[in-house]
Amino acid sequence: LKNNPEAGLVGARLEWPDGKPQESCFHFHTPVSEFLKAASIGLFSRLLDRYIVARPVADSAEYYQWVSFACVLIRGQVIKDVGLLDDKFFMYFEDVEFSYRAKKAGWKVIYQPNAHVVHLRGGSSPLKSQAQLRKKLPRYFYESRTRYFYLLYGYWGLILANIAWSLGAAISGLREKLSKHYQSNTAKGQWRDTWINFTNPLRAYIHPKDYD
């Protein structure tokens, strides 16, 4: 931070206990990135690479739109300028939304791979493992997603993101039916759950202990 006065946030290299790197630096989620993630087609991803959220792991310090808050250093002035993280998010997307506010206020986000941190990913939530198994994802993920897209892009941006995801999922679903070697990444119930809270994007989240 001392060497980069324009940087308001610094993220570390996250890695597994064996030293293998994890995704640590990212571009913002957008309606286009929702389509690309759901469609999961290499050609689309290559043509629209700048919209891919997770960026390749870098070996040197680089600027990004946001970094994982599993480990992050935030300049005090940033919090004075934009406030704290939004506690209306239960989990997920709150770090992205905070980084968006910081960048909007003129601060940069830097990734510093010389800082190594072992990140035991999945310790706070089963989301990653459930997504890999295509199981139903926690409701709070969709609540946070809805809030994020509404805050950054407005109501119609949220609707566009949902439509873009649905279109991408339809493409990958068709591909799955046509090829026995391909499997879509759509989680159980995601067609419906993606629309959670879309009529009231700022509705308070439901704590997992209060699920039916």
Side-chain angles (χ1 to χ4, degrees):
L1 288 178
K2 289 181 179 179
N3 293 334
N4 297 273
E6 74 282 8
L9 297 88
V10 182
R13 172 191 161 101
L14 304 181
E15 53 190 40
W16 297 101
D18 63 3
K20 291 182 180 179
Q22 298 175 6
E23 296 170 346
S24 308
C25 35
F26 309 90
H27 285 174
F28 291 129
H29 302 268
T30 66
V32 176
S33 72
E34 288 294 285
F35 168 78
L36 294 175
K37 181 179 179 181
S40 188
I41 294 179
L43 176 60
F44 292 166
S45 297
R46 288 190 294 273
L47 291 174
L48 300 171
D49 176 72
R50 67 183 183 276
Y51 293 101
I52 298 295
V53 174
R55 309 310 302 171
V57 176
D59 294 325
S60 59
E62 300 284 351
Y63 289 105
Y64 292 93
Q65 293 182 340
W66 65 283
V67 291
S68 171
F69 275 31
C71 180
V72 65
L73 179 65
I74 303 176
R75 192 186 297 274
Q77 187 60 47
V78 175
I79 296 176
K80 292 178 182 179
D81 289 348
V82 306
L84 300 171
L85 276 79
D86 184 349
D87 62 6
K88 300 300 189 296
F89 291 93
F90 177 73
M91 188 183 294
Y92 296 109
F93 292 97
E94 72 275 24
D95 47 359
V96 198
E97 190 272 337
F98 181 90
S99 299
Y100 178 83
R101 280 187 278 137
K103 287 186 65 64
K104 194 173 181 180
W107 293 103
K108 292 185 177 181
V109 180
I110 194 169
Y111 166 72
Q112 176 50 267
N114 290 333
H116 295 249
V117 174
V118 173
H119 177 216
L120 303 181
R121 194 166 68 180
S124 301
S125 166
L127 178 72
K128 300 293 185 182
S129 59
Q130 286 177 302
Q132 289 179 346
L133 296 173
R134 301 175 68 188
K135 292 184 176 181
K136 186 177 179 65
L137 305 183
R139 178 185 175 91
Y140 54 75
F141 169 78
Y142 296 107
E143 291 172 328
S144 293
R145 176 187 174 279
T146 294
R147 183 177 184 84
Y148 165 84
F149 276 104
Y150 177 77
L151 290 176
L152 266 66
Y153 306 108
Y155 184 72
W156 290 110
L158 165 63
I159 299 301
L160 180 60
N162 287 356
I163 293 174
W165 181 89
S166 298
L167 178 59
I171 292 174
S172 64
L174 177 61
R175 184 180 177 187
E176 186 175 42
K177 291 182 180 299
L178 296 176
S179 174
K180 62 181 180 180
H181 302 295
Y182 176 83
Q183 185 178 70
S184 73
N185 57 15
T186 303
K188 181 180 179 181
Q190 196 164 358
W191 286 94
R192 177 187 66 254
D193 293 342
T194 293
W195 295 88
I196 284 176
N197 285 358
F198 85 95
T199 58
N200 186 3
L202 300 183
R203 179 182 298 159
Y205 62 77
I206 299 175
H207 195 283
K209 69 180 182 181
D210 297 323
Y211 289 170
D212 293 332

